[in-house]
Amino acid sequence: EPEVTQTPSHQVTQMGQEVILRCVPISNHLYFYWYRQILGQKVEFLVSFYNNEISEKSEIFDDQFSVERPDGSNFTLKIRSTKLEDSAMYFCASSEGLAGGRETQYFGPGTRLLVL
Amino acid sequence: KNEVEQSPQNLTAQEGEFITINCSYSVGISALHWLQQHPGGGIVSLFMLSSGKKKHGRLIATINIQEKHSSLHITASHPRDSAVYICAVRSSSNYQLIWGAGTKLIIKP
């Protein structure tokens, strides 16, 4: 069964460093998402991406964040200068569409980011 | 005020019991999702509802759009059902998912 994959599973970085989190969505899906979950808190929407551009973003997704689909398979989240409060689990998801039964999102296993 | 409220926050039950988890929301929605988060953190979509009722195995999800309320039921619960169950709604004004805080379910053998 097709699945969303994410790499790395864990990343430890120093404050101020740049990190790139990678995701490979399901191949026929057109909509891609990033979410984060700070330990012990609820999942929060970061950004959605369609047709090579951001379609929605939350207040969390400030100038320190960027997303990219550098090739036909990868979808990346970059944090330019990490802060301690960026420590969280980051989930990538993808869906076929936004309506008509195609909006179910499939989630990757997450990348646990720890900023020291 | 949270836009998506779940109850209870925590639920411990014996194997075989019928489980109900509730979700209320305060915004206009185009769909409601029930998801399961395993202890390791992985998230799995269980249901996506815009009306009525859906059933998958021992899981049943219902939604009442007028009352802005949804329930997730588990029949004949089993220890492997132990997980966090999360309700998330898709706002009708944008396509963002607004997540509830989750209900931590423990089923004891």
Side-chain angles (χ1 to χ4, degrees), chain A residues 82-111:
Chain A
T82 50
K83 302 189 279 285
L84 296 176
E85 54 265 37
D86 293 328
S87 296
M89 180 79 103
Y90 288 81
F91 292 102
C92 172
S94 68
S95 67
E96 285 186 81
L98 291 178
R102 300 183 306 146
E103 62 269 51
T104 297
Q105 293 184 22
Y106 296 82
F107 289 81
T111 293

Side-chain angles (χ1 to χ4, degrees), chain A residues 33 35 37 42-45 56-58 89 91 98 101-109 112, chain B residues 2 4 31 33 35 37 40-45 48 86 90 93-97 99-101:
Chain A
Y33 313 85
Y35 297 91
Q37 185 177 33
K42 63 174 76 173
V43 176
E44 299 171 291
F45 169 79
E56 297 279 348
K57 61 181 182 178
S58 71
M89 180 79 103
F91 292 102
L98 291 178
R102 300 183 306 146
E103 62 269 51
T104 297
Q105 293 184 22
Y106 296 82
F107 289 81
R112 190 172 295 282
Chain B
N2 288 328
V4 180
H33 298 252
L35 307 107
Q37 186 168 29
I43 296 174
V44 175
S45 290
M48 192 276 300
I86 305 172
R90 181 180 299 284
S93 61
N94 57 44
Y95 292 109
Q96 296 183 25
L97 276 185
W99 297 66

